[in-house]
Amino acid sequence: MAFVDIPDGSSGAVPGSEAGARLVWYASYGSNTDPERLACYLRGGRPVGAVRGQPGCRDPRPPARCAAVELDGAVYFATESAVWSGGRAFYDPDAGGRVLAKAYLVSVEQFSDIAAQEMHRTPGGACLDLTEVLARGRSVLGQGRYETLVCAGRLDGLPVLTFTAPWGLRDVTSFNPPSAAYVRCLAAGLVSAGVWDVPAVAAYLAACPGAAGHWSAAALTDLLDQAGPQGS
């Protein structure tokens, strides 16, 4: 797993450090690559282009650090998003290839609340039990679309965690291309890392199953150009 630290102008304070909170890296490969989108999961709110908002975390503070990461595996688009319409992004760590993502340093409490919102559960409850995912690399909490936890590696000695579907890329019989609003948010988030330029991100997403054959690299480049520097 390759990574590059992203200067974000934060104070460097560790979320929840005064309470001795455990820390993890939350790796986003979907729309939460966009820091404004992630802020809706932390503080609450509805991101531009989405039809539904999020309640937010009990601890709304921003991540202590952010890093651009490349994970082993593949991203693909399938099912139908009620928030964006079009296909959702899923991660298969066992598929060949590389995944462009952004990792955010957060407390276990914050990661649990972000995951709860993705799992359509109410945030603010008990923190996730990470014992199995840290020991085995995967933990299936349910059969929902984002109810499988994955440990993609370690960064600075801390686990890099994300969530995905319980099935894999080879199990998908019907892909679904992402909507313009969704793929624009995802692409703009990756470009904002400052590590990958627009052509690299456009080529990467255009090759992902579900987007391939529907979104060309040229069309994605045009979409980002229309979005402007903030991708909104």
Side-chain angles (χ1 to χ4, degrees):
M1 180 181 67
F3 75 95
V4 177
D5 255 338
I6 302 170
D8 57 6
S10 68
S11 65
V14 175
S17 59
E18 65 274 19
R22 289 182 298 158
L23 300 174
V24 298
W25 291 94
Y26 160 48
S28 173
Y29 54 87
S31 58
N32 280 348
T33 57
D34 182 351
E36 291 303 315
R37 165 66 171 166
L38 178 67
C40 292
Y41 277 84
L42 293 170
R43 301 193 304 258
R46 181 171 67 89
V48 174
V51 299
R52 188 178 66 203
Q54 299 294 339
C57 294
R58 70 195 99 176
D59 179 355
R61 285 175 290 182
R65 287 170 57 196
C66 180
V69 295
E70 295 189 6
L71 311 178
D72 294 330
V75 158
Y76 60 93
F77 297 92
T79 74
E80 180 74 15
S81 172
V83 176
W84 299 95
S85 76
R88 301 176 176 91
F90 295 99
Y91 170 51
D92 185 347
D94 297 322
R98 65 167 186 152
V99 170
L100 307 187
K102 286 172 73 174
Y104 301 96
L105 186 60
V106 297
S107 68
V108 170
E109 180 184 86
Q110 287 178 308
F111 177 74
S112 298
D113 284 352
I114 293 169
Q117 291 171 82
E118 286 283 21
M119 296 175 187
H120 298 289
R121 299 176 182 177
T122 302
C127 288
L128 292 172
D129 183 351
L130 304 180
T131 304
E132 183 178 24
V133 69
L134 295 181
R136 304 180 60 183
R138 187 185 300 247
S139 178
V140 179
L141 305 181
Q143 293 305 303
R145 291 175 293 271
Y146 291 111
E147 293 188 335
T148 295
L149 302 180
V150 174
C151 181
R154 286 186 173 267
L155 176 56
D156 290 346
L158 296 173
V160 177
L161 302 176
T162 191
F163 26 76
T164 188
W167 59 79
L169 175 60
R170 290 182 295 180
D171 301 316
V172 179
T173 58
S174 178
F175 295 103
N176 191 18
S179 68
Y182 183 70
V183 77
R184 180 192 296 120
C185 181
L186 196 169
L190 292 175
V191 172
S192 73
V195 175
W196 311 291
D197 60 15
V198 169
V201 169
Y204 159 72
L205 290 172
C208 291
H214 181 88
W215 287 105
S216 66
L220 289 168
T221 298
D222 289 343
L223 196 65
L224 281 167
D225 289 342
Q226 294 166 13
Q230 298 302 317
S232 60

